Amino acid sequence: MIEEGSKSSKSMVEKRQLFMEMRAQNFDVIRLSTYRTACKLRFVQKRCNLHLVDVWNMIEAFRDNGLSTLDHNAEINVSRLETILSSIFYQLNKRLPTTHQINVDQSIGLLLNFIVATYDSEGHGKLTVFAMKAMLATMCGGKILDKLRYIFSQISDSNGVMVFAKFDQFLREVLKLPTAVFEGPSFGYTEHSVRTCFPQQKKILLNTFLDVLMADPPPQCLVWLPLMHRLANVENVFHPVECSYCQSESMMGFRYRCQQCHGYQLCQSCFWRGHASGPHSNQHQMKEHSSWKSPAKKLSHAISKSLGCMPMGEPPHPVFPEAAERPQDLAHTTTLESPSRLDEEHRLIARYAARLAAEASNSTQCPPTDLSFNFDANKQQRQLIAELENKNREILQEIQRLRLEHEQASQPTPEKAQQNPTLLAELRLLRHRKDELERRMSALQESRRELMVQLEGLMRLLKDEEQKQAVQTGSSPHSSPSHSASCTMPMPIRSTSAGSTPTHTPQDCLAGVGDDVLDAFSQGVPRNLRNDLLVAADSITNTMSSLVKELHSVDDGLEDEECNMRNGREKVSSLKHSGKRHSSPSF
């Protein structure tokens, strides 16, 4: 009896913890109920870490836990609700970096107690699927446009037309959130809530639904919903302006400027509390600013607007097709990356735990009052999930270790390279021979280039002599020229063998050029030297070709020797392994 009393008192403390922390924030000093409600729900959202879960992640969690196939009026117990919340926050921790991990157990406990207090105040231990979807889709993070599109997919028929009875059910469930934070008198559900949103009973499609709920101002019963999203967007916005009441030199969050008092601006804390000074009054109209613009930017914006360079107003949302849109519960609509193998294993573990929880809840018959706060079985399931995840990490670490050992064993070591010194010596000799032939080839290429330059000089000299003989005899330049054996070279010519400085005698100038060129210049009768020079160039080209073939044969020899060395290494390693097997003791 004492143990049961301690558990009951502990569960009551956990149930009241979130509300006690919310009261400590002193939100009730905010004079406007809209801001007061939005601040309280934003505090609950951040305290339970729901602001870190995107609406698309929430839709994926609904699908993974089998909620998409259930009827909206189907009931689930608290045990299954806790399993669903566990899968949501465990998947969240996998997406977050290690430095920003959250306390999963604390988040599950706070959110579970808040949902039970909001939707199961009578202690039945059950709530409907639609109530849980509406609450989590409203309180999670993400864009308000995506949330409203998902909500419309849940309250519309197959033709994409909103069903008023389902919208009334949505308002009934979502307006329990302001009531849970003690703002029921201002935003509680009434029978006229649907009429305030859609006064005319007509065909409501998606674009009309978004126009009404995202209008400025929105319907009175849901005015706190877009304000809660605006609060999330301006939490870190800085305004370098002095508050006219508290004299603070900078503002964070919203900034409010009076439309009647020139230059009178208030920070969000002073405006929410109704502070005023000087001629300013709380009855004056105030404009809310969520960003800061410098005076120069304001001037350029006003000029562009006056000249018609920018649109006067932007639509609150893009226009969607009028066809039926119900894709938010399907897999292909979520723009999420395909999960890795590790994430898939964790997901299977979460599903198995959910199945165990469902079987345990169906097999045991507990009183409704005990179902709300009896979390011992669920804690054991979470411990089992944690143990399985640790085991999975150990297996992955062992696989990684074995892979690293295999890679290290397959890498060559200097000891293996020194197992056959004979092959290494032959390989070193062949490489030396290859380097020597490459040097010889480069020298012959240089000689060939010099010979071609010499041949061009000789042809130019021959052409000049032909022109001179033609001028002296008065004949055509195309007539047969006469050649003088005592001509001087216009440029120095080096021999391919010695490379010494040449003299100016014709025979010395032609030394090392070739027999065909020498024969051409040694005869007294002029002959056609162009063909002779081409023959000499061909002989040089043939010499280079033979040298290249010899170099290729040396490369082939090097490749053969490398193959022999590789085979020698394999034989030595096989002998070593066989020696190890023979030397190992037998049991």
Side-chain angles (χ1 to χ4, degrees):
M1 295 294 293
I2 297 175
E3 185 178 357
E4 292 180 358
S6 62
K7 289 182 179 180
S8 178
S9 61
K10 182 180 179 181
S11 61
M12 290 298 294
V13 170
E14 292 178 351
K15 181 178 179 181
R16 297 175 180 177
Q17 178 182 356
L18 183 64
F19 297 100
M20 292 171 63
E21 293 180 1
M22 184 178 64
R23 289 184 182 277
Q25 300 295 321
N26 199 19
F27 291 121
D28 292 331
V29 300
I30 301 176
R31 64 186 182 94
L32 299 177
S33 61
T34 304
Y35 287 98
R36 191 168 59 245
T37 305
C39 288
K40 289 180 179 180
L41 292 178
R42 175 62 178 169
F43 172 80
V44 173
Q45 182 190 48
K46 295 181 66 176
R47 188 66 182 87
C48 298
N49 291 313
L50 276 176
H51 67 295
L52 302 175
V53 183
D54 191 80
V55 61
W56 298 111
N57 301 129
M58 193 66 71
I59 296 172
E60 183 186 22
F62 294 159
R63 185 181 63 252
D64 292 341
N65 288 276
L67 299 180
S68 301
T69 58
L70 296 179
D71 187 75
H72 283 174
N73 296 323
E75 293 183 341
I76 59 175
N77 54 24
V78 178
S79 177
R80 186 173 182 183
L81 174 61
E82 185 178 8
T83 303
I84 296 171
L85 298 181
S86 300
S87 66
I88 291 173
F89 286 110
Y90 276 114
Q91 290 293 332
L92 171 63
N93 249 1
K94 294 175 187 176
R95 295 189 297 269
L96 294 176
T98 55
T99 56
H100 293 76
Q101 297 286 301
I102 64 172
N103 190 337
V104 175
D105 293 335
Q106 186 182 33
S107 301
I108 294 173
L110 290 175
L111 183 57
L112 181 65
N113 289 321
F114 179 76
I115 295 177
V116 170
T118 304
Y119 294 97
D120 189 30
S121 57
E122 297 180 358
H124 296 296
K126 293 182 180 181
L127 69 159
T128 62
V129 173
F130 186 74
M132 190 193 65
K133 283 185 176 181
M135 183 271 171
L136 292 178
T138 304
M139 292 295 294
C140 69
K143 298 179 180 179
I144 187 174
L145 177 63
D146 297 332
K147 293 183 180 181
L148 293 177
R149 288 180 62 193
Y150 172 71
I151 291 169
F152 185 82
S153 68
Q154 301 297 304
I155 62 175
S156 59
D157 57 13
S158 59
N159 297 321
V161 181
M162 187 188 76
V163 180
F164 280 90
K166 291 185 178 180
F167 180 67
D168 181 73
Q169 184 182 2
F170 166 73
L171 290 180
R172 189 186 301 271
E173 301 297 342
V174 79
L175 291 180
K176 290 180 182 179
L177 294 172
T179 304
V181 293
F182 314 107
E183 297 296 334
S186 300
F187 299 105
Y189 172 79
T190 61
E191 296 180 356
H192 306 288
S193 299
V194 179
R195 297 179 184 177
T196 58
C197 298
F198 300 99
Q200 299 179 357
Q201 298 287 335
K202 59 181 180 179
K203 184 178 179 181
I204 305 298
L205 299 177
L206 175 61
N207 292 314
T208 307
F209 179 79
L210 296 177
D211 289 339
V212 172
L213 296 189
M214 297 184 67
D216 188 17
Q220 180 61 31
C221 61
L222 295 174
V223 69
W224 52 269
L225 181 59
L227 179 58
M228 186 175 69
H229 287 79
R230 295 204 308 272
L231 280 174
N233 294 330
V234 301
E235 284 182 348
N236 298 319
V237 175
F238 175 77
H239 304 270
V241 183
E242 181 180 355
C243 179
S244 300
Y245 182 83
C246 65
Q247 308 300 322
S248 176
E249 296 181 356
S250 60
M251 302 181 188
M252 293 293 293
F254 285 120
R255 174 171 55 91
Y256 298 90
R257 184 164 57 88
C258 182
Q259 301 296 298
Q260 299 182 19
C261 304
H262 178 71
Y264 194 89
Q265 301 188 79
L266 293 176
C267 62
Q268 68 177 17
S269 178
C270 294
F271 175 75
W272 289 353
R273 286 162 175 78
H275 294 162
S277 60
H280 177 71
S281 172
N282 290 331
Q283 304 301 323
H284 291 178
Q285 185 178 2
M286 303 289 287
K287 185 175 181 180
E288 181 183 278
H289 294 273
S290 58
S291 62
W292 162 256
K293 292 182 180 179
S294 61
K297 188 176 293 186
K298 289 181 181 179
L299 179 61
S300 62
H301 180 80
I303 294 175
S304 301
K305 190 173 181 179
S306 61
L307 295 178
C309 299
M310 59 183 303
M312 298 298 292
E314 297 181 357
H317 64 85
V319 179
F320 297 96
E322 297 295 338
E325 184 182 28
R326 297 180 59 85
Q328 277 72 19
D329 267 335
L330 303 180
H332 65 273
T333 56
T334 57
T335 56
L336 299 174
E337 299 179 355
S338 58
S340 62
R341 183 177 180 180
L342 183 61
D343 292 340
E344 192 67 24
E345 292 174 356
H346 288 299
R347 187 176 298 171
L348 291 174
I349 293 172
R351 289 181 181 178
Y352 180 71
R355 187 181 302 173
L356 290 176
E359 293 176 357
S361 61
N362 293 330
S363 61
T364 58
Q365 298 293 332
C366 298
T369 56
D370 295 334
L371 288 174
S372 302
F373 308 104
N374 188 11
F375 303 136
D376 293 338
N378 296 318
K379 289 182 179 179
Q380 294 178 0
Q381 293 171 5
R382 290 202 299 271
Q383 291 176 358
L384 177 61
I385 293 173
E387 291 175 0
L388 291 175
E389 289 178 347
N390 292 332
K391 188 66 176 178
N392 190 24
R393 293 192 197 95
E394 292 176 1
I395 293 174
L396 292 177
Q397 291 175 0
E398 182 68 17
I399 293 173
Q400 184 67 19
R401 185 183 64 81
L402 293 175
R403 186 182 292 112
L404 291 175
E405 290 179 358
H406 177 71
E407 291 176 356
Q408 293 176 359
S410 61
Q411 292 179 355
T413 59
E415 296 178 357
K416 295 180 181 180
Q418 297 177 0
Q419 289 176 359
N420 198 335
T422 305
L423 293 176
L424 287 175
E426 293 179 359
L427 182 61
R428 196 177 298 111
L429 182 61
L430 288 174
R431 287 177 178 171
H432 179 71
R433 176 64 176 166
K434 179 183 177 182
D435 295 338
E436 183 180 353
L437 289 175
E438 287 179 350
R439 289 193 297 270
R440 182 181 172 189
M441 182 177 178
S442 61
L444 288 175
Q445 287 178 347
E446 182 66 21
S447 301
R448 181 188 178 189
R449 186 184 63 80
E450 293 176 356
L451 285 174
M452 296 303 294
V453 172
Q454 294 174 9
L455 290 174
E456 290 178 359
L458 290 174
M459 294 179 68
R460 194 181 302 110
L461 179 62
L462 180 61
K463 186 176 181 180
D464 293 340
E465 287 296 327
E466 289 178 355
Q467 291 177 356
K468 288 181 183 179
Q469 292 294 334
V471 172
Q472 291 177 2
T473 59
S475 60
S476 173
H478 299 285
S479 61
S480 300
S482 61
H483 179 69
S484 175
S486 62
C487 63
T488 59
M489 297 299 296
M491 58 182 298
I493 302 176
R494 293 188 302 170
S495 175
T496 58
S497 59
S500 60
T501 303
T503 61
H504 293 283
T505 60
Q507 297 299 329
D508 293 337
C509 294
L510 297 175
V513 174
D515 295 337
D516 295 330
V517 180
L518 290 175
D519 294 340
F521 280 95
S522 62
Q523 298 178 5
V525 182
R527 54 180 289 188
N528 189 2
L529 291 179
R530 187 181 303 274
N531 293 332
D532 296 334
L533 294 175
L534 292 176
V535 170
D538 291 338
S539 64
I540 295 173
T541 305
N542 293 332
T543 304
M544 294 296 297
S545 299
S546 62
L547 182 61
V548 170
K549 290 179 181 179
E550 184 178 358
L551 184 61
H552 288 172
S553 64
V554 173
D555 291 337
D556 295 337
L558 283 172
E559 293 178 358
D560 295 338
E561 290 299 331
E562 290 178 353
C563 292
N564 293 333
M565 287 189 65
R566 197 177 301 111
N567 294 330
R569 293 194 196 101
E570 293 177 356
K571 290 179 180 179
V572 171
S573 61
S574 63
L575 289 174
K576 185 181 294 185
H577 287 298
S578 62
K580 287 182 179 180
R581 288 196 300 268
H582 289 300
S583 61
S584 59
S586 60
F587 295 95

